[in-house]
Structures are given as C-alpha cells and as structure tokens.
Amino acid sequence: MDDELKAIQADLESVLDRLADYMSSDKLTSDYAEPQPSDREDAARVALRHVATRSPSLESSIHAARYVREGRPADLYAEGTMLRDHPEDSEELAELMAALRALDGWLIDQWPLEDEHLQTLALAVSAWSDKEGQFIGENAGLTLTPKCKLDRRKLARESAAFDAWSLHASDPQANPIDETLFERAGKPYGMSASVVKRAYYSEDARALREAFGPGKPRPWDKEGSLEAWVTKRWSETDEN
C-alpha cells in the first residue's frame, strides 16, 4: 500500500473515530432516542446510510442508528403479519426471524443491516441455493403457510395512506386531512378516497404515525427531501 493510500486510510479511521465519539455523547439527545456507546463499525454504518440516502446531514442517520439500536416499536410489526406471529421454535429460527425483521425495518429507517443479520440471511440463501430446502429459510425451521389469507393490495393501501400523511405533513394548510387529500393520494393506485381513508385510520398506519409523529426524529428530518424519501420508501417500481 503506497503512502497516499495509507494517508487516506488514516484520515478515514480518524473520521470514523470522531463520529463514533460524537454518537456516544449526549449531543442530539431527545426523549425519543438516547445516545448509546458506539464504535468505529457503528460510525461506518451511519456513514453508509448517509451516503446511500444522499442525505445532506448526518443528523438523521445518527437518529436512525439510535432508533434501531433501542428497538423499533413492536406495533410497527402489526398484528397478523408473518413476522409478528410466526412461531420461533429454535434459536436458529429466532435468529432468522430477527434478520428478516431487520430487513423489513430497512424500508422504514434505511438502516444498514448488522453483521449477524447479513450472515444469517446469507446462510439461509446459501442453503437454499445448495438445494438443502425448497424455499429460503426452510433449513432454519421456517414453515410454509399455504392456507394463509393473502392481501395482495395491502402494500398499495399502506402506500396511499402514507402518501396522504406525507402530503399533509409537508404542507398542512394546502393539504388538510379531508376527502380531497384521500382522493389525491389514492389516484395513482386506482383507489377511492374511502379506501384510502380507511387505510389512513387503520391500526398499522396509526402506529407508523405515532412512531414518527411531531417532535420525534424521522428518517427524513433535515434531509430536505420528504417527497424523495417517500418515493423511495413506497415506490412499487423501486424497492417494492
């Protein structure tokens, strides 16, 4: 390794150490997310999220780190979902479900998965690739639920409800919570205002609003791009 690369490495390690010290301090502290002792790896994940989300501020990524490490509210995994209700009969399956919950949570806070989550998911995929099971996760004890009642429009309803909330949050005066707002939010999904309204006041949507309500740091705080965050979070042609 030449001298220039050594200097770059030293600078990088110094920056990560400084960021870790900042994350461990009581700066940016609120009732919503307390600081936790952080090391260079924690700082690297904050930096990765900062770059991946194209955020102009590190603050929102630090809040995301604190939020994830304190534990996402259980209500975000609504009653009746596979992640909430699937029985975990073994330590191996518990680890897989934790990794799947972390992956699902990425859609909310875009926090890079921890090493143990990535390893668990990689092992599940590798086992399936090597024909050790018919589906990903079978080797860990995950079971199929052929009689599970499906709701193929659930994501679209949640997307419309979230779009309605984000429009209102961005400009409450221009976008009051009324039939016009619900109609506007539902149009891209081919949904009526009444369908969006029911989704907006559902328990799932209410839990999400409470988790990221007024006065609480949100993934898009100080990023200056609420609409871009919503588009990336919910677009059916992007991650979803």
Side-chain angles (χ1 to χ4, degrees):
M1 186 166 62
D2 60 27
D3 291 341
E4 182 179 3
L5 190 55
K6 289 180 180 179
I8 292 173
Q9 178 175 317
D11 289 343
L12 176 59
E13 292 175 351
S14 175
V15 167
L16 292 177
D17 287 338
R18 287 171 56 198
L19 180 56
D21 290 341
Y22 187 96
M23 292 166 59
S24 301
S25 72
D26 59 0
K27 299 176 182 178
L28 304 182
T29 301
S30 69
D31 293 336
Y32 176 65
E34 297 297 324
Q36 306 97 355
S38 301
D39 57 20
R40 190 179 292 173
E41 290 186 5
D42 299 324
R45 286 189 173 86
V46 166
L48 176 59
R49 183 189 183 277
H50 170 70
V51 173
T53 58
R54 297 179 175 86
S55 168
S57 168
L58 275 172
E59 184 173 343
S60 63
S61 293
I62 294 174
H63 280 307
R66 292 174 174 177
Y67 166 70
V68 170
R69 292 176 65 189
E70 285 183 1
R72 300 178 181 90
D75 287 343
L76 289 181
Y77 301 110
E79 294 289 347
T81 66
M82 296 298 293
L83 287 175
R84 183 79 178 262
D85 296 343
H86 197 286
E88 301 172 9
D89 300 324
S90 67
E91 182 178 351
E92 189 176 12
L93 180 56
E95 291 175 354
L96 176 60
M97 297 307 293
L100 291 174
R101 292 188 184 100
L103 185 60
D104 184 52
W106 182 87
L107 290 171
I108 297 173
D109 47 58
Q110 295 175 301
W111 179 249
L113 270 65
E114 304 290 338
D115 292 346
E116 60 266 26
H117 296 147
L118 290 170
Q119 182 177 9
T120 297
L121 293 172
L123 288 173
V125 171
S126 178
W128 168 78
S129 178
D130 291 339
K131 301 181 179 180
E132 295 176 21
Q134 298 182 58
F135 55 91
I136 295 174
E138 184 180 9
N139 67 304
L142 191 65
T143 58
L144 287 176
T145 53
K147 295 183 180 180
C148 178
K149 184 178 180 181
L150 300 180
D151 185 356
R152 300 186 187 280
R153 294 286 286 168
K154 184 175 187 292
L155 176 60
R157 290 197 307 275
E158 290 177 343
S159 300
F162 196 89
D163 287 353
W165 179 45
S166 65
L167 287 168
H168 173 70
S170 63
D171 193 340
Q173 291 186 342
N175 302 295
I177 300 174
D178 57 16
E179 295 297 317
T180 300
L181 176 65
F182 295 135
E183 182 178 2
R184 178 182 174 187
K187 187 174 181 180
Y189 304 94
M191 293 180 181
S192 66
S194 60
V195 170
V196 178
K197 182 177 181 179
R198 286 195 297 272
Y200 184 88
Y201 289 109
S202 68
E203 290 299 322
D204 290 5
R206 184 176 291 111
L208 189 62
R209 291 196 296 273
E210 289 176 355
F212 299 112
K216 297 179 178 179
R218 297 163 294 181
W220 56 83
D221 279 348
K222 296 191 177 182
E223 293 185 12
S225 182
L226 173 61
E227 292 185 0
W229 186 89
V230 171
T231 298
K232 188 173 183 180
R233 163 67 178 88
W234 292 107
S235 172
E236 293 185 330
T237 60
D238 193 348
E239 284 84 1
N240 295 314

